[in-house]
Amino acid sequence: MRILLVEDEKKLVELVARALRAERYAVDVAEDGPGGWQLAQGYAYDLVILDLMLPGLPGGELLRRIRGRNHQVPILILTARDATLDKVANFEAGADDYLTKPFALAELLMRVKALLRRGPVARASVLRVADLEVDRLTQQVRRAGRRIELTPKEYALLEYLVTNPGRVFSRAMIIEHVWDQSFEGLTNIVDVYVRHLRGKIDDPFPVKLIRTVRGVGYGLDEGAA
Ligand code: CA
């Protein structure tokens, strides 16, 4: 098992690297953000241990880059901060676990073992239907390689449909998942948003993906006529 450790506190690097090597892991160390990114691009790691406060490139940015390139490698964040907001932001950006400094080496090793045991996570950040790509991490949408700008609600609607290609969703199901419980408008809001979405992801392309099922609702699949 090969681990990438990105941390700029020399003492901590020494301690952690020694402890990991004693457990017979191979450990590569980068002491700044750009060095970490270079290693992450060059080798297939089984685990990344990443400090958030790094010179050269913030750890959060490095996390997003590594996750954007490799959806499966487990990432353990080390940080002095323990603000809940940071944690949420970093989990959303693809961190798997979080350890606040100072920590006991035994706890770090325990978490490392747990993450390695779990192995690569099938995160499937990018959902694909035909030539449509929806990246749930960056919330970017592309069709035939072209970037498509959606409003937050249009995106949420599309993500819901793309999650289960071929399935038909009633307007009530769509409202329940895409709007929230406080929504008390008319179900034709769904028709309105489907029309907006079609205008962006279907109308400019020869093959239509969003399907209307009369009397039932909507679905999305590979090439409806
Ligand atoms: Ca640091």
Side-chain angles (χ1 to χ4, degrees), residues 7-9 51 53-54 101:
E7 166 64 74
D8 62 318
E9 287 171 46
D51 179 33
M53 304 284 273
L54 288 170
K101 295 175 191 174

Side-chain angles (χ1 to χ4, degrees), residues 52-63:
L52 274 193
M53 304 284 273
L54 288 170
L57 186 68
E61 171 59 24
L62 183 54
L63 167 64

Side-chain angles (χ1 to χ4, degrees), residues 1-5 12-31 39 49 105 108-109 112:
M1 293 289 187
R2 186 167 184 174
I3 297 175
L4 173 61
L5 171 62
L12 191 58
V13 167
E14 274 175 32
L15 276 173
V16 169
R18 195 188 307 142
L20 292 170
R21 286 175 184 138
E23 300 287 324
R24 305 189 181 184
Y25 300 122
V27 183
D28 292 342
V29 174
E31 296 191 357
L39 286 173
I49 302 175
L105 275 178
L108 174 76
L109 290 176
V112 163

Side-chain angles (χ1 to χ4, degrees), residues 80-100:
R81 302 182 205 165
D82 61 353
T84 306
L85 261 179
D86 281 343
K87 282 192 191 176
V88 171
N90 286 303
F91 275 118
E92 280 178 354
D96 295 280
D97 201 358
Y98 215 100
L99 203 50
T100 304

Side-chain angles (χ1 to χ4, degrees), residues 116-149:
L116 287 172
R117 204 162 39 232
R118 199 176 74 188
V121 181
R123 228 172 276 277
S125 139
V126 179
L127 302 169
R128 286 190 182 82
V129 176
D131 58 355
L132 175 73
E133 290 183 3
V134 177
D135 189 329
R136 292 193 289 183
L137 215 59
T138 60
Q139 305 207 336
Q140 287 189 3
V141 176
R142 286 191 155 76
R143 188 153 181 206
R146 262 159 65 186
R147 176 88 183 270
I148 297 173
E149 299 293 340

